[in-house]
Amino acid sequence: MTELSRIRNFSIVAHIDHGKSTLADRLIQLTGTVAERDMQAQILDSMDIERERGITIKANTVRIEYPARDGHTYILNLIDTPGHVDFAYEVSRSMQAVEGSLLVVDASQGVEAQTLANVYQAIDADHEIVPVLNKIDLPAAEPARVKEQIEDVIGIDASNAVEISAKTGLGIPDVLEAIVTRLPAPKGDRDAPLKAMLVDSYYDPYLGVVVLIRVIDGIVKKGDRIRMMRTGGSYQIDRLGVFKPAMQDIAELGPGEIGFLTAQIKLVRDTRVGDTVTHEKRQCETPLPGFKPSVPVVFCGLFPVDTNEFEDLRDAIEKLALNDASFTSEMETSAALGFGFRCGFLGLLHLEVIRDRLEREYDIDLITTAPSVIYHVHMRDGTMVELHNPADMPDLTFVDHIEEPRIKATILVPDEYLGDVLKLCQDRRGEQLDLTYAGSRAMVVYDLPLNEVVFDFYDRLKSVTKGYASFDYQMIGYREDYLVKMSILVNDEPVDALSMMVHRDRAEGRGRQLVEKLKELIPRHMFKIPIQAAIGGRVIARETLSAMRKDVTAKCYGGDATRKRKLLDKQKAGKKKMRQFGKVEIPQSAFINALKMDS
């Protein structure tokens, strides 16, 4: 049992690539938490995808023991959080479990959009914040300018910010001292009934569900019977321990400590994140407020390329949903693609990560349909239907109006690219709310429709600003607009996997792009194939794929023109008949490439 004044709980927050995981590596290395021979880069990121892409997807905890300069040994519980906007939910959960934050800012790049978003979450959670300037060994580093920027943009005092280089290890001892001296110790009463917050949970094939908890009051020991206050389940604790980053068993956890427990829990769904854990016999009076649940914003269909793999895909999705509570799925069928699942994600990066994991860990080839958002369809009789899949659009005669989700986007961009960014947002039906300057960088706030952002907004933004812009968004609600469902017809047959919701003013352009792309992707058949984009019964764009044909007039050498004509007419009649009965096979690769957004 550790004295409360000797515990420090903190998280590391920053924008993508500002060096959170590297700093965590150095803190672990310097305190000797992991033996030198076991040390590796990004030690807290356990997934292959995290390592390859150099991103953190799940927040990870580790317990560090640090003998400080004042002669006492402190227990530091560190949570390394993701930096990408899609995983803001992970960050907000981690914030509730700790009392302070290290705000890491790249000394060469300065404050970025996600830095702002994450630091505001920390301020909302009443954190003590210690600014840390990373990468000061780079020739382009400007610590003085960045300190000024932190004070101007965020409004926290940066005069005593710690200057470090996480890569070389410069200044890391100062960070450890700052954690001990500047961050507050947790509060708690060890004699009160047990009250612990369920911060996270994941599935382990040997142990069942591993539950990460932060004890607020009371103590928890191995063998105790505990109760989840929200779900009402009661369990007996088999194992109690802490992460160093490997699991290490411990006899008891007291107030202010962060650790894990296992209790033969079979389903991750039984351990709702944000729940309150207490003793079954001596319960605490009020549960903790918990977190607001994560809401998926982007939906798309996942179908196996080989229809025989559907059962494998179902198992894979169930296993993956065990470890990722923010990912939702339900079954759906499609005339073109067969059986599959309609899945909900927190954003496009989340979608890519889940798809990569399914393909890699479970070896299934997947087709992903066009990502879409949830629309509110208001009917004439006053009811409202949520539309997840454009193919399920109700008959327009019964529809009064359609509302789409809007977001408030904050974009930080250097001066010289401001014009391009404003034009991009204008093209995406954005409305400018605010434009302010912080030094030589502009901060633009836009009200944008989410369905325009879902496609390829982030990639376009990065390319028009050569990678210098940073982007963060939050949902602000729904608004009515003139939206229509655009269907794609191939040989007069609608292809439901390619239907999408578009704004009426954009429909012609979007339709023309898509049919031109499909013309290149669908192989030629023995008959002519019309490829059309239509809104309701009206065709707005068309391309025709010409037939493969044999030269039937080759044997006519000279002679009367009517002989040739007769042969050509005979061929034409045959082709017409073939078109009536012919089935167009659209290869899977055509779906995948057609749905890669406006290149």
Side-chain angles (χ1 to χ4, degrees):
M1 169 71 194
T2 319
E3 228 183 287
L4 275 174
S5 60
R6 301 270 183 275
I7 302 176
R8 295 289 182 274
N9 299 325
F10 67 99
S11 62
I12 303 182
V13 293
H15 188 75
I16 312 153
D17 281 344
H18 281 201
K20 294 178 294 298
S21 298
T22 316
L23 173 58
D25 287 352
R26 289 297 88 75
L27 294 175
I28 290 168
Q29 196 174 8
L30 190 74
T31 52
T33 306
V34 174
E36 202 61 52
R37 65 168 185 270
D38 298 328
M39 197 63 205
Q40 53 178 346
Q42 283 172 267
I43 190 156
L44 293 180
D45 295 346
S46 49
M47 280 185 250
D48 298 346
I49 296 177
E50 289 184 312
R51 296 182 162 282
E52 267 169 41
R53 293 183 174 221
I55 56 175
T56 302
I57 293 167
K58 278 200 80 64
N60 292 299
T61 50
V62 61
R63 177 177 169 131
I64 298 172
E65 288 177 16
Y66 169 60
R69 290 173 192 163
D70 61 7
H72 297 296
T73 298
Y74 289 84
I75 299 279
L76 312 181
N77 289 308
L78 143 73
I79 301 186
D80 176 26
T81 62
H84 196 280
V85 56
D86 282 9
F87 305 113
Y89 176 62
E90 285 279 330
V91 181
S92 70
R93 286 201 326 225
S94 315
M95 295 288 180
Q96 305 288 338
V98 296
E99 285 81 32
S101 296
L102 293 185
L103 173 69
V104 180
V105 181
D106 184 330
S108 60
Q109 285 181 308
V111 175
E112 309 251 356
Q114 205 55 40
T115 317
L116 278 178
N118 288 342
V119 82
Y120 288 149
Q121 287 197 352
I123 292 168
D124 286 347
D126 260 357
H127 279 198
E128 189 62 43
I129 296 168
V130 175
V132 175
L133 301 188
N134 191 13
K135 310 192 187 182
I136 59 161
D137 57 327
L138 293 181
E142 304 173 70
R145 182 182 67 82
V146 174
K147 277 183 190 174
E148 213 171 287
Q149 210 179 18
I150 292 175
E151 288 177 356
D152 287 352
V153 180
I154 302 173
I156 55 176
D157 177 25
S159 53
N160 52 0
V162 189
E163 297 185 16
I164 64 161
S165 160
K167 189 167 152 195
T168 59
L170 177 73
I172 301 296
D174 300 339
V175 175
L176 286 161
E177 277 305 308
I179 291 166
V180 169
T181 54
R182 288 162 63 181
L183 294 183
K187 299 181 178 68
D189 176 5
R190 65 168 302 166
D191 302 322
L194 172 68
K195 185 191 264 189
M197 178 189 285
L198 200 157
V199 183
D200 202 359
S201 58
Y202 68 90
Y203 188 77
D204 180 288
Y206 301 107
L207 302 169
V209 179
V210 177
V211 178
L212 182 71
I213 58 166
R214 152 74 205 265
V215 182
I216 311 280
D217 290 327
I219 36 181
V220 57
K221 299 186 174 130
K222 188 176 166 181
D224 285 353
R225 275 203 80 79
I226 53 160
R227 182 181 176 82
M228 308 281 179
M229 291 184 82
R230 286 264 170 84
T231 54
S234 65
Y235 309 96
Q236 182 154 1
I237 298 178
D238 296 336
R239 260 186 93 171
L240 195 65
V242 292
F243 291 106
K244 283 192 156 186
M247 290 180 163
Q248 189 174 343
D249 286 5
I250 195 167
E252 61 170 39
L253 283 174
E257 295 193 279
I258 296 177
F260 72 87
L261 61 89
T262 66
Q264 294 184 2
I265 305 172
K266 303 287 185 293
L267 295 172
V268 171
R269 290 191 185 86
D270 297 341
T271 55
R272 294 249 307 270
V273 166
D275 205 341
T276 307
V277 180
T278 185
H279 280 136
E280 193 175 25
K281 294 273 171 30
R282 188 175 166 221
Q283 296 188 12
C284 61
E285 287 160 25
T286 50
L288 294 159
F291 317 120
K292 50 181 193 293
S294 68
V295 182
V297 288
V298 177
F299 286 82
C300 83
L302 293 178
F303 294 88
V305 170
D306 175 3
T307 45
N308 299 331
E309 287 185 334
F310 173 71
E311 285 300 322
D312 300 347
L313 177 62
R314 176 190 297 186
D315 293 348
I317 282 181
E318 276 175 8
K319 284 177 186 159
L320 204 57
L322 287 177
N323 286 342
D324 193 340
S326 48
F327 158 64
T328 61
S329 66
E330 56 184 39
M331 263 185 67
E332 77 164 347
T333 56
S334 148
L337 302 172
F339 288 103
F341 288 89
R342 187 97 196 144
C343 302
F345 306 94
L346 298 175
L348 277 191
L349 179 72
H350 190 209
L351 186 157
E352 277 182 43
V353 165
I354 293 274
R355 192 185 60 205
D356 283 5
R357 284 184 68 184
L358 285 171
E359 290 189 336
R360 238 185 241 185
E361 295 173 22
Y362 303 99
D363 198 24
I364 300 171
D365 290 331
L366 291 174
I367 297 172
T368 322
T369 63
S372 74
V373 296
I374 305 176
Y375 297 94
H376 286 173
V377 181
H378 290 266
M379 312 301 272
R380 298 240 153 126
D381 59 6
T383 55
M384 190 272 286
V385 183
E386 283 198 350
L387 182 70
H388 291 237
N389 185 353
D392 305 334
M393 179 79 182
D395 187 352
L396 284 177
T397 49
F398 303 117
V399 174
D400 184 50
H401 64 273
I402 302 174
E403 293 180 343
E404 61 176 347
R406 309 280 298 193
I407 59 168
K408 179 175 155 196
T410 309
I411 301 169
L412 278 159
V413 58
D415 268 0
E416 61 263 37
Y417 304 115
L418 182 61
D420 295 335
V421 171
L422 295 180
K423 182 176 180 306
L424 175 69
C425 293
Q426 227 57 52
D427 288 349
R428 296 298 166 99
R429 302 190 283 131
E431 292 169 14
Q432 189 174 322
L433 301 177
D434 193 12
L435 172 58
T436 49
Y437 278 89
S440 64
R441 294 169 67 197
M443 183 165 108
V444 200
V445 182
Y446 258 92
D447 175 348
L448 284 160
L450 182 63
N451 85 344
E452 297 282 350
V453 176
V454 159
F455 280 97
D456 60 341
F457 181 80
Y458 196 60
D459 300 340
R460 302 283 313 143
L461 181 69
K462 286 288 185 202
S463 60
V464 298
T465 60
K466 301 195 170 52
Y468 282 112
S470 60
F471 166 70
D472 176 63
Y473 68 85
Q474 67 217 51
M475 298 282 296
I476 51 174
Y478 279 77
R479 201 163 79 210
E480 184 185 340
D481 217 327
Y482 188 9
L483 297 162
V484 288
K485 173 188 160 189
M486 182 173 78
S487 327
I488 299 293
L489 307 163
V490 176
N491 198 16
D492 297 335
E493 292 280 322
V495 182
D496 56 356
L498 295 174
S499 57
M500 56 177 75
M501 299 293 292
V502 287
H503 192 269
R504 184 65 192 84
D505 303 347
R506 300 294 167 87
E508 267 92 355
R510 220 17 159 343
R512 199 163 294 125
Q513 274 178 338
L514 202 54
V515 293
E516 281 170 9
K517 209 165 186 182
L518 281 170
K519 185 183 175 185
E520 294 163 21
L521 296 168
I522 297 175
R524 285 167 66 189
H525 286 56
M526 295 303 291
F527 47 92
K528 232 174 22 185
I529 301 172
I531 303 167
Q532 297 158 314
I535 293 171
R538 187 169 150 258
V539 173
I540 52 170
R542 166 176 174 141
E543 289 284 333
T544 308
L545 193 61
S546 54
M548 292 198 289
R549 47 199 308 174
K550 181 179 160 194
D551 186 1
V552 286
T553 57
K555 61 184 180 187
C556 299
Y557 182 70
D560 193 355
T562 52
R563 291 177 59 208
K564 283 187 182 173
R565 185 77 267 143
K566 192 171 121 193
L567 289 167
L568 288 167
D569 287 343
K570 189 176 166 190
Q571 183 188 33
K572 192 171 166 188
K575 294 278 182 205
K576 192 174 168 187
K577 195 169 171 187
M578 277 170 84
R579 193 192 142 196
Q580 280 171 353
F581 300 109
K583 280 295 240 187
V584 179
E585 286 296 318
I586 305 178
Q588 306 292 20
S589 60
F591 280 112
I592 297 168
N593 292 327
L595 297 171
K596 283 205 176 112
M597 301 319 140
D598 329 330
S599 43

